[in-house]
Amino acid sequence: MGFLDRDFSDVPSIADYYKNKTIFITGGSGFMGKVLVEKLLYSCPDLDRIYLLLRSSKGIKAEDRLNNLYLSRCFDRLRNEKPDIFEKKVFFIAGDVGELGLGISDEDRTLLINRVQIVFHVAASVRFNDSLKVAARLNLRGTREAIELAKEIRNLEAFVHVSTSYANTNRQCIDEIIYPASGNWRDTLEVIENVDEHTLNVLTPKYLDKLPNTYVFTKQLAEHVVNEQKGKLPVVIMRPSIVISSVKEPLVGWVENLNGPVAILIASGKGILHTMYTDPNLISDYMPVDIAIKTFIAAAWARGTKRLEPTDDVHVYNCSSSEIKALTMGEIVELGVEISKKIPLDSLIWHPCGGLTSSRIINYIKVLLLHLLPALLVDGILKLLGKKPMLTKVQRRIYVANIALEYYVTQQWTFKNVNMVTLRSKIKEEDIKDFYYEMETIDIHEYFTNSCYGGKLYILNEKLEDLPKAKIHYRRMELLHKSVMLMFKIFVFWYIYNTSYFQDVMKFFYTAFIG
């Protein structure tokens, strides 16, 4: 019997379970990590404390990074309603997930071993273009080092490993199970430690086999590091798909990165993305960050409230939406066009227009005409005005990003999420308000409207009081776009009209029908 098949009537509520618990989190300074910390503190305020693994970065000490972390808008709700809880309950552990032993001192390691009950391993590099050496050190070796620490923790109740729904993209239908790996994780670590960078980069495409990039490859192998602990450690694997804006927690539309549909909406809304190579009928799988975090917290509760037995398997949760709330790429673009009229972004470069195409050739032509040529024109004008050109550089980045995403937006996967749905059915009545999650009742139009507001406020740092001015600029750019398109059509007609071929055709019809 699995720990989701059992009777939950006698287990404590989620809030009660986390009471007096000490939690260790890697990746707590990232997008999902921040929301995880905020939600735990807000909805489980009686927890004992949270330790965050933080590294010194660019001359900023781990202690200062913790202080800077709390300045994030993500913690506005805490500052307003529970003003002292972060300072009282969140502490840093100096270290680095890319280092052996997680870079933790002996003293801090002893502290974690003796105090922690729950571990959330969220840290990872999500860049598709990382070298195999870098990706393996962070995603693979970092997971091994986190597991090695977990083995020493005396009272470990739950170890939550955050993977990705795309860890097994060499399969079309992905269930909530561990699939055979595309390589041996121990051999991979040995290779990255002993082969020089140049040789490794040359061999990487062959080493990855059918997997698209080092991110997917190392995340897949990391699952096997965790899976080897079945029956030995209380581990679960969470596989969120593309994590984007929140539905309502900690703030409506909270977002901190440009992922998936939100990136498309913002880039289109700014007037710098007018074409994309993808199938408009392709279902885009996404996951609001607050729903993902609720599943993480609930999964740790479900695992932690059952005594570990040697026969226990590793439970896997696909935190995905397509089996519950399907949305196609074409529908996202249509939403974006509609929303951009209501919430135009400040200083948009051009009127939001364009669309998706499943033809690679047509996409290349549209990139030249709608991305590159306007960028060169705008940058030329900026140079004449004595300002720094920037749009060509932006378009280059968009082009490179689209190439990296091409693998994901030209194929369709099915992510089964039975465990994710079953888990929410086990949530107790007293936890419904704070921890129950569902995608079915989300108003898609309202959700993506709020996502655009979130992108405007939290990523672009634009102000809502400037919205009337932005709407005026939007109408100007719309008029300019229509004028340019009309002039273009007139030019095309004039050019065709003056060609000898057109003249010959007109003479033929005149002779044939008029005489």
Side-chain angles (χ1 to χ4, degrees):
M1 177 182 291
F3 49 86
L4 285 185
D5 298 325
R6 72 187 197 276
D7 182 10
F8 276 74
S9 59
D10 294 331
V11 304
S13 67
I14 294 177
D16 284 342
Y17 169 70
Y18 280 91
K19 187 175 182 179
N20 298 322
K21 291 294 191 298
T22 295
I23 303 164
F24 176 57
I25 301 175
T26 71
S29 61
F31 176 44
M32 285 193 292
K34 285 192 186 79
V35 180
L36 174 60
V37 171
E38 198 277 345
K39 180 61 176 175
L40 285 169
L41 292 173
Y42 188 82
S43 297
C44 305
D46 293 324
L47 59 81
D48 181 53
R49 59 183 58 196
I50 296 174
Y51 288 112
L52 301 181
L53 182 70
L54 295 175
R55 62 184 174 86
S56 298
S57 176
K58 297 178 181 178
I60 302 175
K61 296 180 180 179
E63 182 177 6
D64 294 328
R65 289 194 68 201
L66 181 64
N67 295 330
N68 292 338
L69 178 68
Y70 188 47
L71 296 176
S72 169
R73 293 289 305 277
C74 180
F75 299 101
D76 281 358
R77 180 172 66 165
L78 277 186
R79 279 189 292 268
N80 293 331
E81 300 181 34
K82 304 177 190 291
D84 300 323
I85 193 169
F86 188 94
E87 291 92 338
K88 290 180 178 178
K89 303 215 172 190
V90 181
F91 303 87
F92 75 91
I93 296 291
D96 188 336
V97 74
E99 300 293 332
L100 292 174
L102 301 178
I104 300 174
S105 69
D106 291 340
E107 182 181 357
D108 284 341
R109 192 177 186 90
T110 300
L111 173 69
L112 296 175
I113 288 169
N114 290 323
R115 293 201 63 152
V116 168
Q117 289 90 31
I118 302 168
V119 175
F120 289 96
H121 179 47
V122 186
S125 170
V126 298
R127 291 185 292 270
F128 298 155
N129 59 352
D130 272 344
S131 69
L132 181 58
K133 189 179 288 287
V134 171
R137 281 181 175 172
L138 293 171
N139 297 338
L140 181 53
R141 193 177 72 179
T143 301
R144 183 195 68 183
E145 296 304 299
I147 286 290
E148 290 302 314
L149 173 63
K151 289 178 182 179
E152 298 180 47
I153 294 176
R154 295 183 177 182
N155 298 304
L156 184 67
E157 296 178 6
F159 181 100
V160 178
H161 171 68
V162 180
S163 182
T164 171
S165 293
Y166 296 93
N168 298 280
T169 53
N170 50 328
R171 300 172 184 274
Q172 187 174 23
C173 183
I174 300 167
D175 213 329
E176 294 166 305
I177 61 175
I178 303 294
Y179 290 101
S182 296
N184 182 286
W185 69 264
R186 289 183 176 83
D187 292 344
T188 300
L189 289 182
E190 185 176 352
V191 166
I192 68 155
E193 294 298 340
N194 296 297
V195 176
D196 67 270
E197 186 86 28
H198 175 72
T199 302
L200 193 57
N201 289 339
V202 172
L203 295 176
T204 293
K206 184 171 184 176
Y207 202 70
L208 299 184
D209 194 22
K210 296 180 181 179
L211 297 179
N213 51 56
T214 58
Y215 168 69
V216 170
F217 180 72
T218 53
K219 292 297 282 185
Q220 183 186 94
L221 295 189
E223 288 192 355
H224 287 266
V225 177
V226 178
N227 190 52
E228 287 186 5
Q229 302 308 313
K230 61 182 178 182
K232 301 174 185 177
L233 291 178
V235 293
V236 294
I237 294 176
M238 312 303 297
R239 289 180 183 156
S241 58
I242 303 170
V243 182
I244 59 173
S245 314
S246 64
V247 178
K248 64 178 181 179
E249 292 186 278
L251 300 162
V252 173
W254 165 253
V255 66
E256 198 179 52
N257 57 27
L258 293 173
N259 284 340
V262 175
I264 296 173
L265 294 177
I266 291 179
S268 299
K270 269 291 186 182
I272 58 177
L273 180 66
H274 302 286
T275 183
M276 191 171 180
Y277 175 50
T278 182
D279 182 355
N281 297 314
L282 198 73
I283 294 175
S284 174
D285 203 296
Y286 62 94
M287 177 56 52
V289 64
D290 46 346
I291 292 182
I293 294 307
K294 286 179 181 180
T295 65
F296 294 3
I297 294 172
W301 162 75
R303 175 64 270 184
T305 52
K306 180 186 182 299
R307 184 172 62 87
L308 179 65
E309 298 177 10
T311 55
D312 283 351
D313 207 344
V314 176
H315 232 212
V316 180
Y317 299 86
N318 284 342
C319 302
S320 55
S321 63
S322 59
E323 288 280 289
I324 305 173
K325 194 84 170 181
L327 190 69
T328 67
M329 295 292 290
E331 288 170 335
I332 291 172
V333 171
E334 289 175 6
L335 274 172
V337 171
E338 183 180 347
I339 293 170
S340 65
K341 296 179 183 178
K342 180 181 178 182
I343 318 170
L345 301 177
D346 294 353
S347 305
L348 57 91
I349 305 298
W350 196 257
H351 175 65
C353 62
L356 310 177
T357 176
S358 55
S359 168
R360 192 187 298 272
I361 294 175
I362 292 176
N363 183 63
Y364 281 146
I365 294 172
K366 292 174 74 175
V367 166
L368 290 173
L369 295 178
L370 301 178
H371 287 181
L372 182 58
L373 290 181
L376 292 172
L377 176 62
V378 171
D379 281 352
I381 295 173
L382 288 174
K383 281 185 177 181
L384 291 175
L385 295 175
K387 297 183 179 180
K388 184 179 179 180
M390 52 82 185
L391 194 53
T392 304
K393 186 176 181 180
V394 171
Q395 288 295 357
R396 186 185 299 115
R397 289 178 178 175
I398 290 176
Y399 183 72
V400 171
N402 283 341
I403 290 176
L405 288 172
E406 186 174 301
Y407 178 84
Y408 299 94
V409 296
T410 56
Q411 299 185 68
Q412 185 70 71
W413 291 278
T414 301
F415 302 110
K416 300 295 182 180
N417 52 15
V418 174
N419 287 345
M420 177 189 167
V421 175
T422 302
L423 175 62
R424 74 183 183 187
S425 70
K426 303 299 181 180
I427 293 175
K428 303 172 80 70
E429 185 69 29
E430 55 266 44
D431 287 325
I432 295 294
K433 178 177 178 292
D434 287 327
F435 296 104
Y436 190 78
Y437 53 87
E438 59 184 3
M439 296 285 292
E440 299 92 327
T441 58
I442 293 177
D443 183 314
I444 291 297
H445 188 276
E446 180 183 1
Y447 171 68
F448 280 106
T449 298
N450 290 334
S451 294
C452 287
Y453 272 118
K456 186 178 180 73
L457 291 172
Y458 308 124
I459 294 180
L460 301 177
N461 295 314
E462 298 180 358
K463 298 177 181 178
L464 292 183
E465 50 262 39
D466 293 334
L467 194 56
K469 189 187 301 182
K471 288 183 177 180
I472 293 173
H473 182 61
Y474 177 91
R475 287 193 289 270
R476 288 173 181 165
M477 298 306 294
E478 184 179 29
L479 179 61
L480 177 61
H481 171 72
K482 289 180 178 179
S483 301
V484 170
M485 292 305 297
L486 178 60
M487 292 172 62
F488 178 74
K489 290 176 182 178
I490 292 173
F491 171 76
V492 171
F493 176 78
W494 175 85
Y495 179 81
I496 294 174
Y497 180 80
N498 285 280
T499 59
S500 58
Y501 176 77
F502 184 81
Q503 296 294 334
D504 291 341
V505 170
M506 292 299 295
K507 288 179 181 178
F508 170 79
F509 278 105
Y510 182 84
T511 303
F513 296 102
I514 298 179

